[in-house]
Amino acid sequence: MVALNPNATVLEEEGAFAVSDRAAELARDGRSIVNLGIGQPDFQPPAHILDAAEKAARDGPHGYTSPVGMPELREAVAGHVHGRIGVEVDPGQVIIVPGGKVTIFFACAMFGGAGTEILYPDPGFPPYREAVRFTGATAVGYPIREENDFAFDAEEVLSLITPKTRLIIVNSPANPTGGVVPKAQLDRLAEGLLAHPNVAILSDEIYSHQIYDGGPASLLQVPELRDRVVLLDGWSKTFAMTGWRLGYGVWPAGLIDHVRKLITINHSCVNGPAQMAALAAITGPYDAIDGFRKTFMARREVVVDGLNGLPGVTCRMPGGAFYAFPNVKNTGWHSTELAVRLLEEAGVALLHGGSFGDNGQGYLRVSYAASREAITEAIERMGDFLESAHPANPLRA
Ligand code: PLP
């Protein structure tokens, strides 16, 4: 009998992939499925990106690149970050990785380990907790509340710091709620963190180009924190390139050698043609990307209006990303059962809020990275279902 590392046996799969697989299976069986489950833009990457990839697939680079990424790409990313949040970044601090997720895993590996604690948002992107637990660290969730418009409360986060805390993960705009943390809360967190010089921060800004209310704000903008903030971003959500597996981290200068070693152990480098496509993407033009954002904004209205019209459902207007997070506590349904039955019986794929943490119970995550027609059809099916079906164990209001 093999003996596994116990940390590997506690991991849970990310719900979005499980639901997507089930939705695809039902569709293969001939069922009509509307998929609002997976969080990926339903657009093609702009043509100039595809042209660059095609050329690179033919002409190269075909070999290994530097483990931390091609110099011209790191330089372009540094320029992009400067343009977005006004922070001068040395290209040497930029590390290109295969997907946004890799920076999460590396940050947890770098700061976690037995006897340490890492704070993460609950509800939040599921890999946070799993990556923390895999390192042997204790994952400590901090609540994200509807009454705060799904932003964290800085005082509450600060109150959870102990001498064992090594890292705080923050995410804005957020998955699964669409919440955007107001600048005042970020400032308060930054101020409080000055009293905890041993605590690092992972700032997950993968939805940096899907902000609808308010401007960009990042903890990397705080000069006193710059030597302990890791900024995560990438190509998946901004450029509709989820399957290309391209992401980057901006790391404190003192950590670059450590991350470089992890990369050489783990994956050597990101594939060359993908990096050439990434370079074309990040240097622009951005007309199509601005168009994506406007389309998401218009869909946001459709999805929120539609959800608020359903019996027992209320939904706040999300400030960013492409998710709505409706409260379904007054429908009489447990959100877990509701999500399963909506997929199996009404053919609507979405995620139950509890798959993002205990504080997500009673909510659903609805991705509006789908066509307006798909959104309208899903809302109609949800309405029919809520009016005709009944839960096995109704919740008491
Ligand atoms: N961070 C958040 C908050 C996300 O929602 C996602 C993807 O859903 C990622 C990171 C990872 O992005 P990628 O697909 O580039 O690994």
Side-chain angles (χ1 to χ4, degrees):
M1 184 72 173
V2 293
L4 287 181
N5 172 351
N7 295 346
T9 65
V10 296
L11 301 183
E12 286 179 21
E13 189 186 340
E14 190 183 335
F17 287 100
V19 168
S20 262
D21 281 359
R22 178 65 186 144
E25 194 175 286
L26 289 169
R28 273 198 303 276
D29 289 347
R31 294 276 309 279
S32 152
I33 303 294
V34 189
N35 196 342
L36 306 186
I38 196 88
Q40 63 179 346
D42 56 323
F43 309 117
Q44 277 271 100
H48 69 280
I49 302 177
L50 302 179
D51 291 345
E54 197 180 324
K55 181 172 181 332
R58 223 182 12 253
D59 303 342
H62 296 301
Y64 297 122
T65 71
S66 164
V68 284
M70 295 179 349
E72 54 275 45
L73 180 55
R74 298 171 80 198
E75 210 163 292
V77 169
H80 178 77
V81 172
H82 182 237
R84 185 173 75 79
I85 56 173
V87 177
E88 289 277 357
V89 168
D90 183 323
Q93 290 175 257
V94 175
I95 295 193
I96 311 297
V97 279
K101 274 180 177 169
V102 178
T103 300
I104 298 172
F105 198 78
F106 283 3
C108 293
M110 206 64 77
F111 298 106
T116 68
E117 293 174 358
I118 295 180
L119 305 187
Y120 71 99
D122 174 357
F125 185 43
Y128 299 147
R129 190 186 71 167
E130 304 313 313
V132 173
R133 299 206 304 180
F134 189 70
T135 74
T138 301
V140 180
Y142 62 81
I144 299 293
R145 301 180 199 282
E146 184 179 0
E147 59 266 33
N148 295 337
D149 260 336
F150 297 119
F152 61 67
D153 176 331
E155 296 303 339
E156 207 165 7
V157 177
L158 291 165
S159 74
L160 292 170
I161 296 178
T162 74
K164 293 181 180 168
T165 308
R166 296 287 178 276
L167 177 70
I168 300 178
I169 302 173
V170 297
N171 173 217
S172 177
N175 179 8
T177 60
V180 174
V181 179
K183 177 93 171 57
Q185 287 297 332
L186 272 188
D187 288 348
R188 177 63 200 110
L189 182 66
E191 191 189 319
L193 284 171
L194 299 181
H196 300 283
N198 298 326
V199 176
I201 303 106
L202 171 62
S203 180
D204 183 342
E205 300 176 24
I206 196 101
Y207 297 99
S208 57
H209 286 70
Q210 285 96 34
I211 301 179
Y212 314 118
D213 304 325
S218 169
L219 287 172
L220 196 66
Q221 292 165 318
V222 182
E224 296 88 341
L225 296 183
R226 213 158 285 168
D227 61 350
R228 51 186 166 122
V229 170
V230 179
L231 183 153
L232 178 166
D233 203 340
W235 284 262
S236 294
K237 317 290 178 175
T238 302
F239 301 100
M241 294 172 78
T242 50
W244 290 68
R245 311 312 301 135
L246 281 165
Y248 64 84
V250 177
W251 289 77
L255 294 181
I256 299 300
D257 277 352
H258 298 288
V259 185
R260 190 186 158 96
K261 284 175 199 158
L262 274 184
I263 291 173
T264 58
I265 293 163
N266 190 61
H267 61 265
S268 298
C269 66
V270 172
N271 93 63
Q275 289 192 63
M276 293 304 286
L279 180 60
I282 207 142
T283 44
Y286 277 73
D287 318 32
I289 308 309
D290 292 340
F292 293 171
R293 201 178 63 83
K294 287 191 185 118
T295 305
F296 286 136
M297 259 182 107
R299 291 174 181 174
R300 175 178 77 140
E301 305 283 336
V302 176
V303 79
V304 170
D305 276 1
L307 288 167
N308 277 316
L310 298 177
V313 179
T314 55
C315 184
R316 292 201 177 218
M317 185 63 78
F322 34 64
Y323 307 113
F325 204 59
N327 181 326
V328 296
K329 292 175 190 171
N330 288 328
T331 59
W333 288 84
H334 288 272
S335 50
T336 320
E337 188 191 358
L338 181 56
V340 171
R341 302 256 317 253
L342 279 171
L343 175 57
E344 299 294 330
E345 293 168 35
V348 178
L350 38 69
L351 303 179
H352 73 92
S355 64
F356 297 91
D358 290 346
N359 291 313
Q361 295 286 359
Y363 297 86
L364 298 175
R365 191 194 77 171
V366 180
S367 164
Y368 53 90
S371 70
R372 192 182 267 256
E373 294 70 38
I375 294 166
T376 311
E377 172 69 20
I379 301 280
E380 221 172 279
R381 290 186 189 192
M382 289 170 78
D384 291 348
F385 180 86
L386 286 169
E387 266 153 32
S388 60
H390 301 287
N393 297 302
L395 275 177
R396 268 179 288 131

